[in-house]
Amino acid sequence: MSMSDTLATTRRQIRTQPGSRWLWLTLPALLFFCAFWLLPFARLLQMGMQEDRSTQHSGYWTVLSQPHYLVSLLNTVLLSLAVTLVTLMIAAIVGCFLARQRFAGRGILLALLTFPLAFPGVVVGFLVVMLAGRQGLLAQISLHLVHERWTLAYSLAGLFIGYLYFSLPRAIVTLVAASEKLDRSLEEAARSLGASQWRITWDVIVPGLQPALLSTGALCFATSMGAFGTAFTLGTDLAVLPLTIYGEFTNYANFATAAALSVVMGGFAWLALMLARRLAQAKGVQ
């Protein structure tokens, strides 16, 4: 059999077995998924069922029955929601402005706004300390004006500033790109029909940006739920889940409760991502 006949036979076999071809193509991704997500997460689920060192109950029951764990969960969820909402509001306004305006220095301004993408969470926490810590800019100004040091860095307010600083550049990049793809003719049609700028924003711009807002908000929420470096830099006494998990397995070797808290935190982040996906799909169907 000639080489050309062999190649032709191989092509026919591939065409007649499309399922096996796609299976081989997706095999590396499946192996990576199993090795670095499925197996570790299954181990976390199993470990959370073991007995807690202090309560002698399973890690999951300990998380549900101990108030300080529930407070940590509530603080983390509320903080992540607040960061997400404020991030989306600021990033949507900035994104629409930069997408519609052309002026000298626009590229430099966009580069400056997205420059914090290069900073890890530890650096972001350090910047918050420099701004609102005991020796920070806010403390120096307040000491000069009212003879009292105002500090926000070592509280949930400081953590909110750090998470906001961390999330804004990512949201701005996404929403600038989404705003540039909006159909401006729809706005012009609404304006010609006498719609106010508020109605145009609410009825035309926001629905057009909704898929980008949903996906960006879900990622922002998930990132804020699990962000550790910024929280650790600002203080290990903050009652948020990443620091609570860290304390359980480093200070107390309480692996069962740490695993249960990790599963709960991952579950909330996963629900946010799934909800955003469902809402985006429903918007696409409409």
Side-chain angles (χ1 to χ4, degrees), residues 95-160:
C96 287
F97 174 79
L98 291 177
R100 294 160 184 269
Q101 304 297 324
R102 295 293 183 270
F103 52 88
R106 176 182 176 275
I108 297 176
L109 177 59
L110 183 59
L112 290 175
L113 290 173
T114 56
F115 181 73
L117 284 171
F119 291 156
V122 174
V123 176
V124 172
F126 179 68
L127 293 176
V128 175
V129 171
M130 292 295 97
L131 174 67
R134 296 183 183 92
Q135 301 297 326
L137 181 62
L138 178 62
Q140 297 298 325
I141 294 175
S142 62
L143 183 63
H144 178 73
L145 294 177
V146 298
H147 305 290
E148 182 180 354
R149 293 183 186 272
W150 294 345
T151 59
L152 299 173
Y154 313 105
S155 63
L156 288 178
L159 194 56
F160 172 83

Side-chain angles (χ1 to χ4, degrees), residues 41-56:
F41 191 74
R43 176 59 176 158
L44 273 180
L45 287 172
Q46 184 270 334
M47 189 177 295
M49 298 176 186
Q50 298 176 1
E51 286 188 355
D52 179 88
R53 293 170 61 91
S54 58
T55 64
Q56 306 304 316

Side-chain angles (χ1 to χ4, degrees), residues 82-92 163-164 167-168 171 175 216 220:
V83 171
T84 300
L85 292 176
V86 176
T87 297
L88 291 180
M89 287 190 293
I90 296 175
Y163 284 178
L164 184 65
S167 301
L168 266 176
L175 292 175
T216 303
C220 178

Side-chain angles (χ1 to χ4, degrees), residues 18-35:
S20 61
R21 179 183 60 180
W22 286 111
L23 178 61
W24 283 106
L25 290 175
T26 57
L27 184 59
L30 291 174
L31 291 175
F32 184 88
F33 173 79
C34 292

